[in-house]
Amino acid sequence: MNKCMELDLQEMLPDLLHRTLDSAARARVEAHVAECASCTEELKVLRTVASAAVFAPTIDVDRIVGHIAPYRPIAPVVQAPARSRVVSWLVAASMLVVIAGGGSLLMVQQRQPGARVAPTAVASHQVSTSSQSVAVKPPVTSVPVTRTLDQPIHTLALAPGVDGLSDGDLRQLMNDMDSFDALPTVEPEPVLSVDTGDNLDQGL
Amino acid sequence: MTPSPEIRPPTDTELIERWKAGDTRAATQLVGRHSQALARFAASSGEREGIEELVQDTFVRAFASLDSFRGESSLRTWLFTIERRLMLDRRRAERRSRETVPDEESDHVSEYGALDSLIAEEAQERVRRSLEALSPTQRDVFTLRVQQGLSYKEIAEILGTTEGAARVHYHNAIQTVKEFLRDE
């Protein structure tokens, strides 16, 4: 038997069987079936299969309805207003900025020698203020340094940025440098070579 | 004299609303409207026993969750979907019990014989056997299309597949059934 070439019409055979086609489509399909042996056979098969379905048991409707519980509307679940995704992202982003900012600030502070100098500066401060205990040094006549740790310390020029010091600070710095006793006060004694007699054999 | 307004049967949606409002007769109408189709589908899908219980379970579940029925498909399509899931659950449970208790095979055969006696005409017996030659999915597609008259879209919704896949299954099924009936 030749295959049907009008597949779109052949597909509508179950709809023709159940009378769910509109009048125009139904007329088209019926006209096609009248000419197509394949579709005629298929429609016959479909009719047979459809009629074979009558053997399902008869259902007792009242019995089923008796088992159906009365309607109870589902109570809407009250939920706390969930934080929207945008807000969550904003919170996460701001936390990230804070962490990154704090981290980079710490790194910058660690890289700046001035930050490490703080103890030295304090030490120098102590030196300058306790200079009276050092006998060799004259009393410092400069302005007494009364700084706290959170103030910028320019006592020593170990940190870069001398350009930023004021005239007063520079004078103070110079005075402090004058008062250092790091340099030896006396000339070193000349070193004399000692003949150990190792060269005597060579001379002989 | 004015013509009397045409009396049309209430739609499924209207009946659902009435049932929600406390009208139990609406439930009776809904069950009466769809129960036989569900029974036919179950029988065509190869269910041999407990079809009435299956249909009952389908309705009990459906009415318990009617609030989740959004009306995007027809009520019957939704009922078929529930029934098919129940059938799959049943088959899985049967498979498990058959693995653990192999002696039940003899009971199965006797139920099979009971159905055989139910089918009187030879042609219908042939149809039943031709349907058994199909894969479960092909059988579901074929019976939903031929016996229930559903569209491919509705079938795809029930089976959780695509319209294209449903078409392919139907095409393969009709070829198998035709060949089976021709050879018999």
Side-chain angles (χ1 to χ4, degrees), chain A residues 59-146:
Chain A
I59 302 297
D60 185 350
V61 173
D62 291 332
R63 183 167 163 255
I64 291 177
V65 174
H67 281 85
I68 294 173
Y71 176 67
R72 264 179 291 171
I74 299 170
V77 180
V78 180
Q79 290 180 334
R83 194 190 294 171
S84 75
R85 181 170 284 196
V86 176
V87 173
S88 301
W89 276 108
L90 280 174
V91 169
S94 35
M95 285 178 70
L96 195 67
V97 166
V98 167
I99 291 168
S104 43
L105 197 65
L106 271 175
M107 286 176 67
V108 167
Q109 281 183 346
Q110 282 180 351
R111 279 185 193 168
Q112 278 182 352
R116 288 181 179 272
V117 161
T120 315
V122 171
S124 74
H125 170 69
Q126 287 169 345
V127 167
S128 63
T129 51
S130 61
S131 59
Q132 289 175 349
S133 62
V134 181
V136 277
K137 295 298 157 197
V140 177
T141 55
S142 61
V143 179
V145 180
T146 54

Side-chain angles (χ1 to χ4, degrees), chain B residues 10 19 28 32 34 41 56 64-65 69-70 73 78 85 97 99 120 128 141 146 161 165 174:
Chain B
W19 179 71
T28 307
H34 299 292
F41 177 50
Q56 179 181 298
S65 54
F69 174 63
R70 295 184 298 274
S73 62
W78 189 59
R85 281 187 204 143
S97 67
E99 284 167 6
R128 187 185 64 77
V141 171
V146 178
T161 184
I174 187 68

Side-chain angles (χ1 to χ4, degrees), chain B residues 155-171:
Chain B
I155 294 168
E157 201 173 310
I158 291 166
L159 303 187
T161 184
T162 61
E163 284 186 54
R167 275 177 214 275
V168 171
H169 282 304
Y170 173 80
H171 180 75

